[in-house]
Amino acid sequence: MESGIKSDNTGKVISIRGSVVDILFEKHLPPIRSLLRTGTNNQISIEVFSQLDTQRIRGIALTPTQGLARGMLVQDTGAPLQTPVGKGILSRMFDVFGNTLDKQGIPTEVQWRSVHNEPPALEQRSTKTEVFETGIKVIDVLMPLERGGKAGLFGGAGVGKTVLLTEMIHNMVGQHAGVSIFCGIGERCREGEELYREMKAAGVLDNMVMMFGQMNEPPGARFRVGHAALTMAEYFRDDEHRDVLLLVDNVFRFIQAGMEVSGLMGQMPARLGYQPTMGTELSQLEERIANTGSGAITSIQAVYVPADDFTDPAAVHTFSHLSASIVLSRQRASEGLYPAIDPLQSSSKMATPSIIGQRHYDLAQAIRRTLAQYSELKDIIAMLGMEQLSPEDHKVVGRARRLERFLTQPFFTTEQFTGMSGKLVSLDEALEGCERILNDEFEDYPESALYMIGAIDEAHDKSKSSVAQEDKNVANVHDA
């Protein structure tokens, strides 16, 4: 942690209510967002939230307030919360104060910068539009991501947001020469520790920085983790002119921390108990993620959707900032179709002919149309059975079911659980596979031959092995 206290302005604690502390300053009031230190070894950090009158401020504690008592002296640091930036932070793991969490000592060659920065001005932003390939078929074909854009992974609890995020880190490190910054907001400590070990084993830590604000930390600290990670990302973009991949898990926890802070401060709640300032707070964070002339911050953000309700204000506000929305569906997860992405609910602003090309656009539209028709026919199939469908509808159902299975993919990060080796599929291979399925080239193949494969040609081998297995099973039955 940065230790230098630069101000001789001191105050006195006059009231403590949980994380909310009122402090009296007789000389002059510290500005809002200033960081104050108190406690026996200055171990308690407080951020100024509001100025109550000419001598009193109300602050929110970023650390637990055990041991704090009325009358204790408070030191104004004369600066807002700061975080370390520089080459020395690569391959390290930090908390919101810039303390290292990986037991590797204090990083050298670092400067300290305020976590509160303005977003880049409009004239500094780049207007170039490029697609960002991930190697995951369903994303690259139906909801292409934007370089320097913001993509959201939406889903309820346990549908695979963190797994998909981890897979994207794995795939992008190979083809993405920039820096990856992982920001865990309100994370379980298990997830942080697992991710650190996985990234170390994959040999990608050298170009990666991790920042965590765990679930058990006070809301004030969780609320500032995103800002601290963004300050690091802005350093690599603006000072080193490198592309940055910023992975945020989970934006909902940022909104939730803001809601807790707002409640502690006694603000009147808005819709569904959310803070009245939610839109502003989210915008201050999201607008800093931008593509400028010197480099791009491409962001992929997991967003927990409370009770799978996409009309929840947290989900609605987050949607408005994104260039691509990847919606995970519990229904597809229960059918074993992983990644459990719902192709009809997910969307991308990049999916226009002028950006991805006419062939890709037409194919994506044809896939969506086929899947939408199948979705409409599901009710008829459930009530009357497949026999009642017309021959043309039969074909549509066959195509759609084969497309659904082709758009599944074994992940590198789940090899130890599934026993299947991960696959990275280029956009051309994915498009070719979808085109051939739509042209009915695989109507004689069992649907299982297209499940959990990489490129489409793997279906031939899988089909042969499944036929051989069936013959073997029939022979065993006869022998018995």
Side-chain angles (χ1 to χ4, degrees):
M1 187 196 286
E2 190 195 24
S3 55
I5 289 174
K6 310 178 189 69
S7 167
D8 59 355
N9 190 25
T10 54
K12 198 166 60 176
V13 175
I14 50 175
S15 89
I16 307 152
R17 293 182 305 285
S19 290
V20 180
V21 185
D22 287 1
I23 302 161
L24 178 76
F25 282 91
E26 289 179 346
K27 274 194 195 169
H28 66 90
L29 282 187
I32 287 173
R33 289 182 176 169
S34 294
L35 189 67
L36 315 175
R37 296 258 168 78
T38 183
T40 42
N41 299 314
N42 278 336
Q43 82 279 21
I44 297 172
S45 297
I46 297 168
E47 186 175 86
V48 178
F49 189 87
S50 63
Q51 297 172 335
L52 300 177
D53 55 34
T54 55
Q55 290 196 315
R56 292 182 309 145
I57 66 99
R58 180 159 290 168
I60 187 93
L62 306 185
T63 49
T65 52
Q66 282 94 338
L68 193 61
R70 285 170 66 182
M72 273 192 175
L73 283 181
V74 180
Q75 185 77 49
D76 174 13
T77 63
L81 179 65
Q82 298 192 318
T83 199
V85 298
K87 287 192 168 65
I89 66 171
L90 285 171
S91 79
R92 306 301 301 274
M93 188 190 265
F94 297 93
D95 69 6
V96 70
F97 300 105
N99 301 319
T100 53
L101 302 174
D102 51 15
K103 299 180 181 168
Q104 310 229 342
I106 296 163
T108 51
E109 292 181 67
V110 295
Q111 309 163 251
W112 290 79
R113 289 191 185 170
S114 164
V115 302
H116 305 285
N117 293 319
E118 289 300 310
L122 213 51
E123 63 268 19
Q124 293 174 336
R125 296 181 183 235
S126 168
T127 52
K128 230 173 26 180
T129 310
E130 292 172 56
V131 171
F132 195 76
E133 267 194 51
T134 63
I136 298 168
K137 290 182 281 195
V138 63
I139 293 176
D140 290 342
V141 171
L142 292 174
M143 57 225 69
L145 306 187
E146 179 186 3
R147 176 183 170 270
K150 296 184 271 273
L153 298 178
F154 290 82
V159 289
K161 295 184 297 296
T162 303
V163 171
L164 191 52
L165 209 56
T166 316
E167 182 71 6
M168 285 186 178
I169 300 173
H170 183 282
N171 290 0
M172 287 174 191
V173 162
Q175 54 188 341
H176 182 85
V179 179
S180 294
I181 295 180
F182 184 91
C183 171
I185 306 176
E187 280 294 273
R188 302 166 185 88
C189 59
R190 167 185 65 77
E191 291 176 338
E193 192 262 346
E194 281 175 7
L195 186 73
Y196 183 78
R197 272 192 290 112
E198 279 172 20
M199 296 299 118
K200 199 167 186 176
V204 302
L205 262 187
D206 292 348
N207 279 320
M208 194 162 182
V209 187
M210 293 186 186
M211 175 160 275
F212 280 93
Q214 287 167 217
M215 276 182 171
N216 60 340
E217 291 185 31
R222 280 180 275 129
F223 191 50
R224 291 294 176 225
V225 172
H227 298 98
L230 262 167
T231 299
M232 291 176 171
E234 286 164 344
Y235 163 80
F236 287 111
R237 180 191 66 194
D238 301 335
D239 293 36
E240 295 207 3
H241 305 306
R242 294 172 76 174
D243 279 3
V244 183
L245 177 64
L246 176 68
L247 302 128
V248 183
D249 190 5
N250 171 324
V251 171
F252 175 76
R253 304 268 174 237
F254 165 77
I255 292 171
Q256 201 174 36
M259 179 163 68
E260 289 174 51
V261 169
S262 175
L264 286 169
M265 286 298 169
Q267 292 180 343
M268 183 73 76
R271 238 182 98 208
L272 297 184
Y274 285 104
Q275 64 272 41
T277 50
M278 174 169 68
T280 312
E281 289 165 1
L282 191 61
S283 301
Q284 283 169 346
L285 187 76
E286 295 280 6
E287 288 301 305
R288 286 169 65 182
I289 303 169
N291 187 355
T292 66
S294 57
I297 299 177
T298 302
S299 168
I300 298 171
Q301 309 169 10
V303 186
Y304 166 69
V305 179
D308 293 346
D309 174 16
F310 284 89
T311 63
D312 188 273
V316 171
H317 275 269
T318 311
F319 264 123
S320 63
H321 288 280
L322 304 172
S323 53
S325 306
I326 300 166
V327 177
L328 297 169
S329 140
R330 198 171 299 282
Q331 170 72 34
R332 295 177 79 79
S334 66
E335 290 171 21
L337 299 171
Y338 287 103
I341 294 170
D342 185 331
L344 299 177
Q345 272 196 292
S346 306
S347 63
S348 168
K349 291 175 182 161
M350 303 292 283
T352 60
S354 57
I355 296 170
I356 56 175
Q358 194 65 46
R359 174 181 174 244
H360 183 166
Y361 176 76
D362 290 343
L363 264 174
Q365 291 299 92
I367 294 164
R368 281 180 194 279
R369 209 165 29 246
T370 307
L371 294 174
Q373 283 174 287
Y374 175 44
S375 169
E376 286 166 13
L377 292 169
K378 273 182 180 171
D379 289 344
I380 298 171
I381 296 166
M383 287 187 288
L384 306 173
M386 288 281 285
E387 299 74 37
Q388 301 301 317
L389 296 181
S390 68
E392 186 48 48
D393 284 347
H394 249 292
K395 284 196 160 184
V396 167
V397 170
R399 275 180 221 136
R401 289 181 63 85
R402 283 173 177 78
L403 278 171
E404 280 185 339
R405 276 142 191 77
F406 177 62
L407 292 174
T408 61
Q409 191 165 341
F411 280 178
F412 292 96
T413 47
T414 55
E415 281 177 6
Q416 69 213 61
F417 308 113
T418 60
M420 288 184 269
S421 55
K423 296 281 183 346
L424 189 76
V425 185
S426 73
L427 176 61
D428 291 338
E429 288 174 324
L431 288 174
E432 183 203 354
C434 293
E435 192 168 38
R436 288 170 68 183
I437 292 168
L438 287 169
N439 291 338
D440 291 334
E441 273 188 49
F442 292 88
E443 62 182 340
D444 300 329
Y445 281 63
E447 288 170 5
S448 59
L450 296 161
Y451 179 66
M452 284 292 172
I453 59 171
I456 194 76
D457 294 332
E458 292 175 31
H460 297 299
D461 308 329
K462 200 164 176 188
S463 174
K464 279 178 197 162
S465 64
S466 63
V467 168
Q469 185 63 43
E470 275 176 34
D471 292 346
K472 196 174 169 187
N473 292 345
V474 169
N476 289 344
V477 169
H478 283 308
D479 292 345

